[in-house]
Amino acid sequence: MENITNQLFPHKLESVISMYKKYPKRILPKGAMVTRIAPSPTGFFHIGGLYMALISERFAHQTKGVYYLRIEDTDKKREIEGARKIISISLCKYGLSPDEGEGLGGIERGIYGPYCQSDRKEIYKVFIKHLVEIGRAYPCFCSQSELDEMRKMQEEAKVRTGYYGIWAKWRDADKNLVKEMLDNNKEFVIRFKSTGDYKKSFSYKDLLKCSIEFPENDIDTVIMKSDGLPTYHLAHVIDDHLMSTTHVLRGDEWISSIPLHYELFNTLELEPPLYGHISPINKIDEYGHRRKLSKRKDPEANVIYYDQKGYPRIAIIEYLMNLANSDFEDWRNKNPTSHYTEFTLTFKKLAASAGPLFDEAKLRDISKELIAKMTATEIYEDVVNWSSEYDSKFKDVLLSDKKYWVNAFSIERSIKKTRKDIACWSEIKRFFYFLIKEEFAKPDWLKFNSPLSKNEISDILLQYSAEFSINDLQDEWMNKIRRIAIKFNFAPNAITFKDNKDKYRGHVGDIAQIIRYAITDRTQTPDLYQIIQVLGEQECARRISFGRNFD
Ligand code: GLU
């Protein structure tokens, strides 16, 4: 066996003991959790990944522990260029930068690294070699076509598929044959030699699920591929041990691998971490079916979708907190000004919210509430940031006059009840279109519904411009409009009109509507007086005279 081991691992490797010395147990306060997120760089960053990152970060930090990022890139065929960078940028944008692991600019922090699995190849080899030495791993030379053939035979024989028992061709192969294969440089993988019995059951308690009974693992799983890189199963066992992970919170597609993972930990005489398997985020699709958010089918599965729309990042985080622990919403209502990190996330509530339903309408509501609480300056800064990435023309407009735009975003913000019209920054330009002096065009009066003739509208606007002063206080300004209303036989207020419908043609609101339309090209806007104050005397006068020209 020694010869074979040397042939399998011809380069000098460190010992298992030296590995344990190199990665000592972390010294942390009692109860502190060490969590991690371990994404594979295989495409865009999934909203489910962000959800798991938030949960892992919260549990670590609320217990004064450590939350780190490990890039799991051992499947080189599935790796997508640039995906690694997207992971660190997304985490940073959402305030979930890890304590250890790759940060922005590809810079790693932490003493338990390297934090990227392909850079840990030699570490895994130490343990794989050790497993071979103790007789718990062996090379397998089966080609893909042989494995396919075996599977076909198993299906025909109606037996369980997989590399186990009598089907495990190279498990007890003759040593001379193995040596010959190696001498001839035949391609091989290394398989774990399971001692489990499928007929026996294995009981397991997940952090987030009820106790589960599994059959023991008896599959001789590949632990090292022909390219020398380990598979996830072995790599995560080594890494989570060496990096002192206490709680592995991962997607529940891994739960069926638990018997294998426990067997690997036991074989290496290591204590397994606690596992919590998180159910994926669901959605109701166009056919009314509940299903997992799909990477391929649903644009909203990609974190970039929320960025493009310009949801404030804190809204996404608060929404995900809601999905994770349903009592977060209650807490938020009782603590409207607290930071979300003051809420304590629990496994109990997380377990109860299995397979949470993603609902963008709910996200919009949360976002509107949060935007309503922001100051105009905060909004300005966020919108500038968003538009520098997604609307550079609008960014230039915003940067050309900060004071003007902060005033604009202050409209109906200083009064007790702030408007809640905006859910994301991509909506703000359309909403405030009438404040973009550079883009404002002449209103189309053909679309304006009014009992008044063109000439009367023109007269009203003329009258208004004669009376208008930017220095008028709101009451004064309103009184001026009332006077115009009376002149044109409109009631000075809605109640008077209601009681005397045959006496008046309408009421003051109809006159204000004409002014609103001339100034904003809209029939519905936030407070007109405030809009006028922001636009200023000159711009208002220009629009009013513009509005009188119907051709
Ligand atoms: N790389 C694995 C995945 O992306 C991570 C599983 C884990 O967190 O252990 O599914």
Side-chain angles (χ1 to χ4, degrees):
M1 185 54 82
E2 196 181 313
N3 270 350
I4 289 175
T5 314
N6 289 339
Q7 256 181 302
L8 291 173
F9 303 97
H11 306 296
K12 189 163 166 42
L13 290 169
E14 292 189 46
S15 68
V16 169
I17 302 291
S18 74
M19 281 296 132
Y20 295 147
K21 280 200 187 127
K22 226 178 191 165
Y23 293 92
K25 278 258 156 274
R26 294 171 189 265
I27 300 167
L28 288 166
K30 197 165 174 276
M33 295 184 195
V34 179
T35 64
R36 83 297 190 280
I37 51 154
S40 299
T42 52
F44 63 69
F45 198 50
H46 197 286
I47 188 77
L50 192 68
Y51 177 61
M52 272 194 274
L54 173 66
I55 293 169
S56 301
E57 184 276 340
R58 281 297 71 228
F59 280 113
H61 289 162
Q62 74 190 20
T63 56
K64 303 207 169 9
V66 179
Y67 145 77
Y68 70 88
L69 165 66
R70 187 170 72 226
I71 301 289
E72 300 206 329
D73 62 341
T74 55
D75 192 349
K76 288 293 171 196
K77 282 194 242 90
R78 287 180 59 227
E79 186 164 347
I80 304 246
E81 213 192 309
R84 237 168 106 160
K85 208 162 148 195
I86 293 174
I87 295 168
S88 15
I89 293 177
S90 308
L91 291 174
C92 172
K93 277 184 176 170
Y94 285 88
L96 297 172
S97 286
D99 305 322
E100 295 174 14
E102 186 170 310
L104 289 185
I107 302 187
E108 263 194 9
R109 277 192 302 179
I111 56 163
Y112 288 82
Y115 293 87
C116 176
Q117 288 187 329
S118 59
D119 297 332
R120 299 172 65 79
K121 202 170 167 177
E122 297 302 295
I123 300 175
Y124 306 121
K125 281 194 175 159
V126 170
F127 290 90
I128 298 168
K129 185 179 174 190
H130 170 71
L131 287 171
V132 174
E133 277 166 351
I134 63 169
R136 293 302 304 272
Y138 61 91
C140 163
F141 299 89
C142 283
S143 64
Q144 193 51 51
S145 61
E146 270 180 283
L147 293 172
D148 293 344
E149 185 60 26
M150 179 181 99
R151 190 185 179 86
K152 232 168 95 193
M153 283 162 70
Q154 288 172 326
E155 278 165 1
E156 275 165 18
K158 297 201 172 13
V159 296
R160 191 159 48 91
T161 56
Y163 202 96
Y164 65 94
I166 54 158
W167 303 96
K169 180 174 168 188
W170 290 91
R171 184 180 166 103
D172 296 309
D174 182 76
K175 287 191 184 53
N176 294 326
L177 179 58
V178 173
K179 188 168 175 333
E180 193 187 313
M181 296 296 272
L182 292 173
D183 287 343
N184 289 326
N185 288 326
K186 293 282 183 213
E187 201 172 88
F188 65 90
V189 296
I190 295 204
R191 289 184 182 270
F192 176 55
K193 193 177 203 171
S194 171
T195 56
D197 180 349
Y198 192 72
K199 290 192 211 82
K200 286 194 188 149
S201 83
F202 165 83
S203 145
Y204 158 76
K205 177 75 192 90
D206 193 82
L207 284 167
L208 302 173
K209 312 210 183 266
C210 326
S211 281
I212 311 170
E213 291 277 318
F214 290 104
E216 278 183 12
N217 172 62
D218 66 348
I219 305 276
D220 284 359
T221 305
V222 174
I223 53 174
M224 190 182 100
K225 295 172 291 164
S226 55
D227 60 5
L229 282 166
T231 54
Y232 166 74
H233 306 294
L234 180 101
H236 100 278
V237 164
I238 304 305
D239 291 343
D240 283 322
H241 175 76
L242 294 182
M243 297 175 174
S244 302
T245 311
T246 60
H247 293 69
V248 169
L249 304 170
R250 63 182 180 184
D252 70 1
E253 68 273 21
W254 292 111
I255 202 157
S256 57
S257 304
I258 274 287
L260 165 66
H261 296 167
Y262 267 68
E263 198 186 353
L264 282 167
F265 274 105
N266 289 339
T267 308
L268 290 164
E269 294 177 38
L270 304 173
E271 172 97 23
L274 294 168
Y275 285 96
H277 288 90
I278 300 178
S279 316
I281 298 177
N282 288 319
K283 75 175 269 182
I284 302 283
D285 69 10
E286 62 275 33
Y287 310 108
H289 299 143
R290 190 183 179 118
R291 64 162 170 80
K292 188 170 137 171
L293 260 188
S294 147
K295 202 166 176 167
R296 274 181 308 110
K297 289 189 239 161
D298 305 314
E300 72 271 32
N302 189 343
V303 169
I304 208 82
Y305 169 89
Y306 306 94
D307 242 42
Q308 279 163 351
K309 284 209 169 180
Y311 283 106
R313 297 193 177 120
I314 189 69
I316 304 289
I317 292 292
E318 295 239 343
Y319 180 58
L320 295 179
M321 286 293 283
N322 260 306
L323 290 189
N325 271 200
S326 58
D327 51 341
F328 178 79
E329 187 168 4
D330 229 27
W331 175 88
R332 170 52 73 222
N333 291 336
K334 286 187 195 128
N335 303 275
T337 55
S338 301
H339 193 257
Y340 76 90
T341 51
E342 288 171 44
F343 174 81
T344 307
L345 213 60
T346 63
F347 286 128
K348 197 167 159 216
K349 280 283 174 189
L350 185 58
S353 68
L357 198 60
F358 191 87
D359 175 11
E360 195 168 345
K362 175 84 184 162
L363 166 64
R364 287 180 63 81
D365 287 345
I366 290 179
S367 193
K368 282 180 184 174
E369 288 291 334
L370 285 162
I371 291 176
K373 280 188 214 144
M374 290 168 79
T375 66
T377 310
E378 283 167 344
I379 294 183
Y380 175 81
E381 275 155 16
D382 257 32
V383 182
V384 167
N385 279 340
W386 175 82
S387 56
S388 16
E389 213 166 326
Y390 297 108
D391 188 345
S392 62
K393 226 167 119 191
F394 190 41
K395 180 202 76 182
D396 293 342
V397 169
L398 293 169
L399 289 181
S400 69
D401 196 343
K402 176 172 176 180
K403 196 165 159 240
Y404 175 83
W405 282 102
V406 170
N407 281 339
F409 299 146
S410 306
I411 293 174
E412 288 197 35
R413 192 154 289 278
S414 51
I415 45 177
K416 269 196 192 130
K417 207 165 170 353
T418 305
R419 288 179 75 102
K420 290 174 186 163
D421 318 81
I422 307 282
C424 52
W425 306 138
S426 57
E427 291 168 3
I428 215 161
K429 188 168 161 186
R430 211 169 346 113
F431 188 78
F432 283 120
Y433 152 75
F434 48 83
L435 292 176
I436 308 173
K437 292 182 192 166
E438 296 81 343
E439 285 188 20
F440 187 80
K442 195 176 136 199
D444 180 358
W445 288 95
L446 285 177
K447 289 192 188 143
F448 187 73
N449 213 347
S450 170
L452 292 149
S453 70
K454 272 188 195 175
N455 281 347
E456 284 173 314
I457 290 177
S458 182
D459 275 356
I460 287 167
L461 291 174
L462 190 64
Q463 192 92 169
Y464 176 78
S465 64
E467 301 233 357
F468 170 73
S469 160
I470 196 78
N471 299 322
D472 290 342
L473 296 177
Q474 188 150 10
D475 284 351
E476 222 172 325
W477 171 78
M478 200 59 219
N479 283 337
K480 283 183 179 174
I481 300 177
R482 273 199 192 101
R483 282 207 293 274
I484 300 173
I486 293 165
K487 228 183 227 175
F488 284 81
N489 205 19
F490 281 70
N493 55 55
I495 298 172
T496 312
F497 173 62
K498 212 171 136 226
D499 296 342
N500 304 278
K501 282 211 169 140
D502 43 351
K503 197 170 155 204
Y504 295 107
R505 300 170 74 189
H507 63 79
V508 66
D510 300 309
I511 306 298
Q513 229 14 17
I514 292 169
I515 299 161
R516 184 189 311 278
Y517 197 65
I519 289 179
T520 67
D521 188 20
R522 297 264 167 92
T523 50
Q524 278 185 337
T525 67
D527 186 81
L528 183 59
Y529 177 77
Q530 290 184 42
I531 292 173
I532 289 170
Q533 292 299 311
V534 169
L535 281 170
E537 177 133 41
Q538 235 184 354
E539 181 66 12
C540 287
R542 183 179 82 90
R543 291 187 186 189
I544 294 288
S545 65
F546 210 36
R548 293 206 314 270
N549 171 7
F550 290 96
D551 305 319

